[in-house]
Amino acid sequence: MKTLQKKLLFFMLIVLPLGMFAQNILKGKVLDSATQTPLPSVNISVVNNTTGTSTDFDGNFTLSNLSVGDQIVFSYVGFVKQTFTYNNQKEITILLIEDANQLEGVVVIGYGSVKKKDATGAVTQINSDDFNKGAVVTAENLLNGRVAGLTVNTSGAPGSGSEIRIRGGSSLFASNDPLIVIDGLPIENTTNTGSTSILAALNPSDIESFTVLKDASATAIYGSRASNGVIIITTKKGGKTLSVDYNFQYGSGKLVKKVDVFSAAEFRNVVAEQLPGSVGQLGTANTDWQEEIYRKTDLVDNNISIRGNLFNVIPSRLSLGNTYQEGLRLTNKFNRNTIGISLNPSLLNNHLKLRVSANYANERNRFADGVEGAALRFDPTQPVYDSNSYYGGFFEYWNGNLNPTQAQLTPSVVRNPVSQLLQTNDSGINNRLFGNFEIDYKFHFLPELRGVVNLGFDESNGERTRSVSRFTGSAPSNDNRPYGTNEYSEALRKNRSLDGYFNYKKLFNKLEVDATAGYSYQKFEGYSFSTGNVFQPNYSDAIADVDTFADIVLIGLFARTNFTYDDKYILTLSYRRDGSSRFSEENRWGNFPAASFAWKLKEEFFEDSTLISNLKLRLGYGITGQQEIGDRLSYLQQYVTGNNQSQYIFGTTATPIAVSTAYNSNLKWEETTTYNVGFDYGLLDDKITGTIDAFYKKSEDLLVRSALPDGGNFSNRGFQNIGDLTVKGIEFAIDAKLVEKDNLKWNVNFNATKFERRIDELALNADIFIGGTGTGTGGTAQILREGFTPYSFYVYKQLYDSNSKPIEGAYADLNGDGIVNGDDRYIYKNADPDATFGFASYLNYKNIDFSFNLRASIGNRIYNAVDAGRAQYDLLNQASGVLGNIPSSVQDTNFNTTSDVVLSDIYIENASFLRLDNVTLGYTFPKWLEGKASVRLYSGVQNAFVITKYSGLDPEITNNGIDNTIYPRQRSLLFGANIKF
């Protein structure tokens, strides 16, 4: 009996509790629903309980101390969170579904990514769905007008590059271009021989997203080249399901506007009035020279991409593209062929991720000279062609002697611009291969730790030939007898990078730590070769020159840590130490720290608000560096040899000379300190979202090419660290989903930016005169002066008569000394806008889509050098008794002599504008080919209209606000199709 009692007691005290405990244990596995592969490190928690765990390498987990009815939450980055109700189950399998919305909420930053809601810096990401539509040949125009603080100014040349500025830049003479990073590879901001721009080789159809890093807290991790902001380009990757996309676009372009010069009939009347003795020099033709140098254009763009899961293991993407674009100038064209391959497999149960990206581009360009100046000046009563002309059958001013040894051009007059275009063959080829190979390994023994190695490569091999007939009036000449041009040049540029870093991310109760530390190495090398003009008289092989570029090496050590507490407070600290071969050993290294803080005010104060869905305060501080100057070894004394035009004669022997270049061994980093405060906001369940930012940037030790003391160096100008520059401004952006219904969706985006640049200090408080007038050597219309905006216009104050007509050569005596001279010039306006704006609208009704993009600039000014240097009656007579056309605006001023008026403030014009970049209307057939494909047909207009008061050709120019003829932008009518299988 006692034995039975002991057994019962043992069962009740030991076995029964164990059995009860065993009933509270849940085992299971978590899989990716799409691939059925295990998911390691899935976070598993129990609602209202401290119980929690995570899956192991094989996706397995064990959870204990459960009660019936417990809510178990499974969460994993990039997947939809799933809740499971416990009801005494012993073993389960959880299938997590990839969350497209959450992936869209991840923002790519330097050496990693972050959830958009957790970003602490001024960061804007634009995905492919939000790209600009229309005739987009170069990648940067996909986001023109879409990002507050970012401006993209592209010329009218086909495939041409752009002036890209983030928050106005940060330097004077060093580069103001942002750092561009493609799939982790920072690219060189130098266009290679035979190419049109640094991004011409990148097919816009291959781009998945742009991330624009604007403040130093976001950019400092890139240190040495991040003072002007960073643009991170992420290309499209492979997919898990098979899909084929084909895109076709055709565009027909034409000239929109011409510079207003006298027509042939008007010119005859003006000559009769102003130069009656020269009427006999008028011709009988009626030629519009601007119409003659331009043409209607064609654009054809074809792209096809195939995505799928190669061998059911390797997500892959293959893309092929061809773009052909003609420029308005005769003979000018751009032709690009591209191939892109992307492989991104995940191995070892997602512990090892490989990313391979390779892109090849073949550019073939026919360049065209800028002949606009000649077209404006050529007599409109003369013909384009002359059958009796010695110069290729084109009309030229010459002595009429058909003897080849006696034929001679009339000196100092403009040459036939059509002849220059048609008899010049300036062709380039550039082959570029770039990409990266990335290894991302999550350690098995410590899944919170990742090791990432990224190898980047970029090699560009270009060549260019320029041939000009000796029967071309504009060809190089000797004693006004053209001898033509035959030149060949080539260049090879290589860019290699190695980035390696560790990332540790772990949640400690309410504190999440995300730490990154690594090393970066990048090397730029190459060479160029040029024959020079072999038709040049006295040409010798010594003129042919090989220039082996001095290597540029950048080395960086970097670290960043994000601390997130209670999902409300986020602190980011980063540091980078960079070395550049552009500086001497004593000044080679720079230190670039940054810190930023974010406070999620929504969770703190408005948790129950239905109006406010997101509100976050951001504070940022950081220092970034600048070393991007044209000279590679400015700190080192170098010697260069001259050509056959710079030799000493010893007896009868010509000996080339070697001359030292200017150098400065004390050159050091230009540094920019940035402060930023901003708010991210969301209203009505994020139907309305946006940002507000205020920033202040101060650049010190500016790298400036300025005057050197006489006899103190080997040039009168060279790079020095002198001066300070500040930029301050405010940005606003808003995205609104105005309508969200099954058959109707309407989204709009608006952004606005205002900034001011000021020069705080220059060496010895000395002004720097800059910005040529285009009317000869030495004349400048702009100034760098302490306390003012860079490149402010420096002109005379025009006086007017009682009828408000300008008085030629009459200017205000501003200093009151009774003499009007250079001391009376004053600073009047500048090219910087008071504010810029962007607006985009996307409307979908059933299968119809309609979109447009508007941009505006307010308050920017332009020095109209076209009028300042040409709109004077004296210029009707060029030289040697030859007549020349002038702008008809001369009738508004009645000015006669250029030198008397070229610096009048009357030529500073308001260039504010509103431009409709693109408008597109499309219709989608969702079930084409019996539902196997969809096809979207569309039509649109590129550069639809510009509203402005500026009298010149276009108010949107580069060249710091000086308009001395530009390549005009064409207006294109577009047709296209997007087919998806």
Side-chain angles (χ1 to χ4, degrees), residues 798 806-808 871-873 890 893-897 901 906-907:
Q798 180 69 51
I807 304 172
E808 181 168 351
Q872 296 82 37
Y873 283 120
V890 69
T893 63
N894 287 315
F895 287 162
N896 290 291
T897 305
V901 300
I906 198 173
Y907 297 116

Side-chain angles (χ1 to χ4, degrees), residues 724-781:
D724 299 338
L725 173 73
T726 58
V727 184
K728 58 183 178 181
I730 188 169
E731 300 169 347
F732 172 77
I734 183 170
D735 290 274
K737 302 173 183 176
L738 298 181
V739 181
E740 273 195 306
K741 296 183 179 181
D742 290 341
N743 291 328
L744 179 62
K745 291 181 173 61
W746 185 18
N747 301 334
V748 297
N749 166 272
F750 173 77
N751 65 79
T753 306
K754 177 178 176 57
F755 69 87
E756 293 181 353
R757 299 189 297 161
R758 292 290 184 271
I759 299 173
D760 296 329
E761 181 183 348
L762 289 173
L764 304 175
N765 303 322
D767 296 336
I768 299 177
F769 300 98
I770 202 166
T773 62
T775 58
T777 59
T780 59

Side-chain angles (χ1 to χ4, degrees), residues 137 156-160 194-197 200 293 295-300 323-336 362-369 421 424-430 464 967 970:
V137 175
S160 68
S195 178
T196 57
S197 72
I293 65 171
R295 62 180 175 179
K296 290 186 176 181
T297 67
D298 289 324
L299 164 70
V300 181
T323 302
Y324 173 81
Q325 184 183 30
E326 293 178 340
L328 284 173
R329 289 177 188 159
L330 298 175
T331 73
N332 189 198
K333 60 185 178 181
F334 168 83
N335 195 349
R336 176 184 62 208
N362 169 259
E363 277 184 73
R364 294 180 178 270
N365 295 294
R366 175 80 179 266
F367 301 97
D369 295 346
L421 290 174
T424 299
N425 189 339
D426 189 353
S427 299
I429 299 175
N430 188 65
R464 186 168 178 172
Y967 198 131
Q970 56 186 286

Side-chain angles (χ1 to χ4, degrees), residues 369-387:
D369 295 346
V371 297
E372 281 77 9
L376 299 183
R377 293 284 287 129
F378 216 99
D379 182 348
T381 67
Q382 303 298 342
V384 175
Y385 300 97
D386 177 6
S387 58

